[in-house]
Amino acid sequence: QWNKYPAIVNATASAGVPLVQTIQDCYGGDRSYPAPLRSLGKAAMLCVLTASVADGLQKFLPQIKSARVMRGGVNSAEAARSPALNRRRPYLLTASRLELSAKALNVVRGAFAAIAQSYPELDLVVAGEGSDRARLQAIAGELGLGARVEFTGAVPRAKLWSLYKGAKFFVMASRRPEGLGLVFLESMACGRPGR
């Protein structure tokens, strides 16, 4: 995503539209894409999820010092109105981009494999899409868990609320530091514990 910033900055400048950009984390862009990140110095306003995100990017983007901290939130009323998914078998839920460079989905899958024999009635539902989906599906099959790991692909918000509410637990493991995983707030809004 970071490498798209120069094109976005140039397009908004050409159109005369002020650019307001929210940055949710400080990994990747600072090390892998410092030049695209610096292009955000031309933004009309920068927002960050937490002050630690601004601290982590200050070396590459000095303008981040004046960024506004805007904590993420969820629509708890919409979550409350959503019905729980009625699934034949109970499940654990994880929801994220399916990209192993950022999300430790292999850790989630490994943890599920470790408990699968002790809890034969329990499945793992993986909501999301990404470049490593086929790899994760193949590994689940190699572990003999293919029938117990469901990959839903990208789901609309209404279905995601239902997935949260129907789950026994929500699980997420990130490979890198993040400002605040909104999925944990979404899970809490649905009354589900997260790990």
Side-chain angles (χ1 to χ4, degrees), residues 1-10 33 36 39:
Q1 310 292 2
W2 301 91
N3 58 349
K4 296 178 183 173
Y5 284 146
I8 294 168
V9 168
N10 291 336
Y33 302 106
S39 71

Side-chain angles (χ1 to χ4, degrees), residues 102-168:
K103 304 297 183 182
L105 295 164
N106 56 323
V107 173
V108 172
R109 185 206 59 237
F112 180 68
I115 67 166
Q117 192 170 7
S118 298
Y119 299 92
E121 75 290 349
L122 192 63
D123 292 341
L124 174 64
V125 174
V126 180
E129 196 56 76
S131 58
D132 289 317
R133 177 176 174 163
R135 183 175 168 197
L136 287 162
Q137 287 175 307
I139 294 170
E142 290 165 12
L143 292 171
L145 299 172
R148 293 181 57 192
V149 180
E150 177 187 348
F151 289 83
T152 67
V155 295
R157 177 67 51 197
K159 182 174 180 183
L160 187 57
W161 291 131
S162 293
L163 281 168
Y164 282 122
K165 289 181 99 169
K168 294 294 182 188

Side-chain angles (χ1 to χ4, degrees), residues 5 36 50 53-54 63 70 77 79 86 97-98 102 124 133 155-156 158 193-194:
Y5 284 146
T50 66
V53 170
Q63 296 89 336
M70 296 183 71
N86 185 11
R97 293 186 320 273
L98 305 188
L124 174 64
R133 177 176 174 163
V155 295

Side-chain angles (χ1 to χ4, degrees), residues 26-34 37 57 60 176-177:
C26 58
Y27 65 81
D30 55 337
R31 293 185 292 276
S32 308
Y33 302 106
L37 182 61
L57 294 176
F60 298 94
R176 299 170 173 169

Side-chain angles (χ1 to χ4, degrees), residues 53 58 69 73 97 103 114 135 143 169 174 182-183 186:
V53 170
Q58 196 167 343
V69 175
R97 293 186 320 273
K103 304 297 183 182
R135 183 175 168 197
L143 292 171
F169 290 97
S174 184
L182 293 181
V183 289
E186 292 172 346

